[in-house]
Amino acid sequence: MRLLIVEDEPRMATALQRGLVAEGFTVEVAFNGPDGLHLARENSYDAIVCDIMLPGLSGYRLIEALRAEQNWVPVLVLSAKDGEYDEADALDLGADDYLVKPFSFVVLLARLRAVLRRGVRPRPAILSCGDLSLDPAARAVRRGETEIELTPREFSLLEYLMRRAGDAVSKADILHHVWDAHYEGDANVIEVYVGYLRRKIDLPFGRHAVQTVRGAGYRLASDGG
Amino acid sequence: MRLLIVEDEPRMATALQRGLVAEGFTVEVAFNGPDGLHLARENSYDAIVCDIMLPGLSGYRLIEALRAEQNWVPVLVLSAKDGEYDEADALDLGADDYLVKPFSFVVLLARLRAVLRRGVRPRPAILSCGDLSLDPAARAVRRGETEIELTPREFSLLEYLMRRAGDAVSKADILHHVWDAHYEGDANVIEVYVGYLRRKIDLPFGRHAVQTVRGAGYRLASDGG
DNA sequence: AGCGTGGCTGAGCTGATGCTGAGCCGCAAA
DNA sequence: TTTGCGGCTCAGCATCAGCTCAGCCACGCT
């Protein structure tokens, strides 16, 4: 297991390095943001442990830059801040976990192991299919540059379809996940809402992202139509 | 997005439920461990939010039980304990994240989103014979680059033939698997549907993937014709 | 070559499926 | 109270999938 530590405070960096080496990890250290980004680009790490407050380039920007390059290496963020919105920001930006300083080494180790166990897989904070994108945190949907207004129900329907983009999704599945497990009503609501969605995200753009798979359900084209 | 909350304290449970429903999630609540486990077994949730201290069955045991059954639904653990080893335990047991009470709703939401974002969904393999391929999840069939539209019945017939590619499959077998074990009708339906299939996957491409084995049934050429 | 059986197909009926516009209800802001 | 909006139901319509059937074709046997 090969780790990169990005941490500007020398004592903290050294302590982390020693501890993790003692646990059997191979560890490299960068003391500022740009160096960290450079190392992360050039090498393939199993995980990155990254401070937020960094000279040159903040931890946020570092993660953002990596994710923009489709680099999904697990990142564990360390921060002296304890404002809750910082944490929310980091996770929505694509960090994998978050620790507030001071933290105990045991907790760091446990979280690092949890993060490593999950391994690398693409998980963009913003869902996108072609030029169609949906940001769950911001509750925003856009086709290219055009912002699209959706009602809450329309939004969850699209979110569910986008999370399963490319799959044919049955109406029963949709009813369970977007409406309620015990929803008693007619599955016709889905047809109605699919209609609403199409009128907002497809028709004005001459696209066909939301496809009917007769007898099976619906499918969102993974290329956005 | 469908969630299960397992929380015995009624005020906490209600608060969570309200907040998450307001965020657009579909939420079910269990007030003790055994109920939670039962619901988690019976239904397919996108994530579970689970207290540690539960009557009947602790959160630890609940996760352990699910994981033992190969159920990898993401679990976010809540706990009033703050001993660091508890956290390490929960993560090592297979929880996906951990929050210590009291926590803010914003943080819960951010972590929940992070956990949902990396949610796994193992996809069934794509069946293929030569340049003919069938994706059961996407309900899509293609010959080379050309997408082919099939009706549900045609689709299951082709799927069955592809799963037994190279074998001669009797009409009785087909009737049994593609129609119904208790199907009463004439086996002539099969001939009709084989005809439809050929017109869609063979004739336009000058191929002969679906072969008649006179007196025995049909065979799908394992090289796709 | 003739014949019978197994296999194929076009026509057509029927119920199922999906889509849409109209309209109701409840809630919340004006 | 009125207005607007989101959520939903419903009925009507168009289309389609599933199936049956009758008649034809072709394979393989004598």
Side-chain angles (χ1 to χ4, degrees), chain B residues 170-182:
Chain B
S170 76
K171 292 188 187 180
D173 269 11
I174 296 176
L175 222 46
H176 202 263
H177 285 90
V178 179
W179 272 259
D180 190 274
H182 314 297

Side-chain angles (χ1 to χ4, degrees), chain A residues 164 166-168, chain B residues 120-128 133-140 155 159 163:
Chain A
R164 300 194 50 180
D167 283 11
Chain B
V120 256
R121 186 180 306 282
R123 244 183 121 98
I126 293 178
L127 303 167
S128 61
S133 67
L134 179 148
D135 182 337
R139 285 205 148 247
F155 189 90
E159 183 177 358
R163 285 189 193 281

Side-chain angles (χ1 to χ4, degrees), chain A residues 37-112:
Chain A
L37 183 55
H38 183 253
L39 280 171
R41 277 175 171 152
E42 297 298 309
N43 303 286
S44 150
Y45 298 98
D46 296 295
I48 297 178
V49 177
C50 174
D51 194 13
I52 282 295
M53 305 286 279
L54 287 170
L57 183 83
S58 82
Y60 293 147
R61 298 285 150 270
L62 197 155
I63 296 173
E64 208 172 33
L66 289 177
R67 298 305 185 232
E69 292 160 16
Q70 309 294 310
N71 184 335
W72 307 108
V73 55
V75 178
L76 202 162
V77 162
L78 308 178
S79 174
K81 297 186 187 175
D82 56 359
E84 57 192 38
Y85 283 95
D86 293 332
E87 177 163 6
D89 287 351
L91 292 174
D92 276 334
L93 262 172
D96 294 77
D97 209 342
Y98 189 97
L99 279 178
V100 174
K101 296 181 188 175
F103 51 82
S104 83
F105 188 70
V106 173
V107 168
L108 171 71
L109 213 54
R111 296 233 172 158
L112 197 53

Side-chain angles (χ1 to χ4, degrees), chain A residues 182-193:
Chain A
H182 312 300
Y183 181 77
E184 297 282 328
D186 195 333
N188 171 251
V189 240
I190 299 174
E191 292 155 16
V192 174
Y193 274 83

Side-chain angles (χ1 to χ4, degrees), chain B residues 143-185:
Chain B
R143 180 65 103 177
E145 293 301 300
T146 318
E147 180 102 27
I148 298 173
E149 301 266 334
L150 297 184
T151 72
R153 194 66 96 193
E154 290 161 5
F155 189 90
S156 18
L157 173 58
L158 179 59
E159 183 177 358
Y160 185 64
L161 291 175
M162 284 186 82
R163 285 189 193 281
R164 302 194 47 180
D167 288 8
V169 186
S170 76
K171 292 188 187 180
D173 269 11
I174 296 176
L175 222 46
H176 202 263
H177 285 90
V178 179
W179 272 259
D180 190 274
H182 314 297
Y183 182 77
E184 299 280 328

Side-chain angles (χ1 to χ4, degrees), chain A residues 85-178:
Chain A
Y85 283 95
D86 293 332
E87 177 163 6
D89 287 351
L91 292 174
D92 276 334
L93 262 172
D96 294 77
D97 209 342
Y98 189 97
L99 279 178
V100 174
K101 296 181 188 175
F103 51 82
S104 83
F105 188 70
V106 173
V107 168
L108 171 71
L109 213 54
R111 296 233 172 158
L112 197 53
R113 292 220 174 94
V115 153
L116 286 169
R117 193 184 308 134
R118 291 171 201 138
V120 186
R121 73 177 58 90
R123 50 189 114 85
I126 293 179
L127 302 167
S128 62
C129 300
D131 65 348
L132 184 67
S133 67
L134 179 149
D135 183 336
R139 299 219 132 230
V141 175
R142 47 184 55 215
R143 180 126 234 170
E145 294 302 303
T146 317
E147 181 99 27
I148 298 173
E149 300 270 332
L150 296 184
T151 72
R153 194 63 98 192
E154 290 162 4
F155 189 90
S156 350
L157 174 58
L158 180 59
E159 180 180 359
Y160 187 64
L161 291 176
M162 285 187 81
R163 283 189 194 278
R164 300 194 50 180
D167 283 11
V169 185
S170 76
K171 291 188 188 179
D173 271 11
I174 295 177
L175 224 45
H176 277 149
H177 285 86
V178 179

